[in-house]
Amino acid sequence: MLEISKLNVFHGNLQVVWDLSVKVGVGELVTLIGPNGAGKTSTVETIVGLNRGAKGSIRFMGEEILGMRPHRIFEKGLALVPERREIFPDMAVLENLQMGGQGRPEWRKALSHVYNLFPVLQERERQRAGTLSGGEQQMLAIGRALMSEPRMLVLDEPSTGLSPLLVGQMFRSLEQLGREGMTVLLLEQNVRHALELCQRGYVLENGRIVLEGKAKELLHDPHIERAYLGI
Ligand SMILES: Nc1ncnc2c1ncn2[C@@H]1O[C@H](COP(=O)(O)OP(=O)(O)O)[C@@H](O)[C@H]1O
Ligand SMILES: [Mg+2]
């Protein structure tokens, strides 16, 4: 579904990602893990058209999307849950979700799917989004992205700032999404959870992929154990 090849990403003259190649198959859960500053956000912003300083190729459903405007990429069914959740704090939970549905006629079906995945959002639908806990706001950000019924979801560090309990809950929701057939690219620093959830993984360090493979194998890789799992 998504095929990134030899992607080089720049901020102005400063190069931050080198020759990144990543593939995500239909219905696959893939993670790109790496520490702070590795280039994860720069990469996702490039995928969804928010960072125009890039060279290489990004194909979505066989079509080149590098250089396309963000709204066109979104309309093709590629939705991002950004690192800074970007919910509307003064609007109700339900209104935030409706914004994600963008006036689509089938928004009620999408809404019941989101409420099934995150029952707490239904319980709080009239509440101002800004009063939700960090974990609930993250669920709202994911829910809002799902309201557009995307073909593929890209999540930029959804576990950041969440308590261990909520991290577990959030990953279980992603697991359910995976079982339902959603295609996911997950950018994470929470290496253990990400590798336990996904089928395959790539390790990004200083803007370069240094390791890739089946998630189960990466969990037992000596470099990963030492650098990320504290073993
Ligand atoms: N807008 C920007 N202008 C210049 N440099 C940036 C900008 N955003 C990020 N960077 C730099 O790009 C590198 C990668 O950052 P980022 O993509 O945010 O990594 P990550 O998401 O993995 O933490 C870092 O060295 C960061 O300082
Ligand atoms: Mg980031």
Side-chain angles (χ1 to χ4, degrees):
M1 186 167 282
L2 183 75
E3 183 165 9
I4 307 173
S5 32
K6 300 225 171 245
L7 185 71
N8 289 275
V9 180
F10 304 80
H11 291 291
N13 291 326
L14 177 70
Q15 183 160 6
V16 295
V17 172
W18 284 263
D19 288 332
L20 176 135
S21 296
V22 165
K23 279 189 202 178
V24 186
V26 174
E28 208 180 12
L29 305 185
V30 173
T31 185
L32 182 58
I33 53 186
N36 230 339
K40 300 183 297 298
T41 298
S42 302
T43 300
V44 289
E45 288 182 342
T46 306
I47 297 171
V48 301
L50 293 170
N51 182 345
R52 325 273 306 160
K55 293 195 173 68
S57 167
I58 304 176
R59 296 177 81 79
F60 181 58
M61 316 265 309
E63 185 181 9
E64 183 63 51
I65 59 167
L66 182 61
M68 262 186 206
R69 301 256 159 225
H71 71 92
R72 284 202 52 212
I73 296 172
F74 176 75
E75 281 164 5
K76 292 188 182 297
L78 187 54
L80 169 69
V81 181
E83 193 170 20
R84 292 180 305 276
R85 293 147 197 173
E86 288 165 14
I87 58 164
F88 300 99
D90 293 326
M91 288 168 62
V93 166
L94 178 59
E95 290 169 323
N96 268 274
L97 291 171
Q98 284 168 330
M99 298 279 292
Q102 306 233 326
R104 298 157 61 88
E106 60 279 36
W107 70 274
R108 282 184 188 282
K109 182 168 114 297
L111 185 67
S112 60
H113 177 226
V114 169
Y115 282 168
N116 177 266
L117 208 53
F118 303 116
V120 68
L121 296 181
Q122 183 162 26
E123 290 159 23
R124 310 262 154 121
E125 68 175 4
R126 305 275 159 215
Q127 195 170 317
R128 271 185 56 235
T131 64
L132 297 178
S133 73
E136 291 160 352
Q137 290 191 20
Q138 184 61 64
M139 290 170 195
L140 178 57
I142 298 172
R144 192 181 51 186
L146 289 173
M147 286 296 290
S148 66
E149 303 197 280
R151 295 174 200 273
M152 177 171 179
L153 207 54
V154 180
L155 298 125
D156 191 358
E157 292 203 40
S159 75
T160 301
L162 303 194
S163 69
L165 187 75
L166 283 171
V167 170
Q169 208 175 315
M170 204 252 333
F171 273 95
R172 276 194 296 282
S173 303
L174 295 181
E175 205 179 311
Q176 185 181 337
L177 265 180
R179 277 197 304 271
E180 292 169 2
M182 180 62 78
T183 305
V184 172
L185 177 62
L186 172 68
L187 294 281
E188 260 299 342
Q189 287 193 56
N190 194 322
V191 169
R192 183 179 296 280
H193 269 105
L195 289 177
E196 282 173 352
L197 171 74
C198 294
Q199 288 116 36
R200 288 190 306 112
Y202 296 81
V203 183
L204 185 68
E205 291 178 359
N206 300 314
R208 289 183 169 87
I209 302 276
V210 295
L211 207 57
E212 64 179 89
K214 290 193 177 133
K216 282 202 179 71
E217 290 168 11
L218 290 177
L219 269 172
H220 300 291
D221 180 273
H223 172 67
I224 304 262
E225 287 186 333
R226 217 173 327 107
Y228 298 99
L229 301 175
I231 296 174

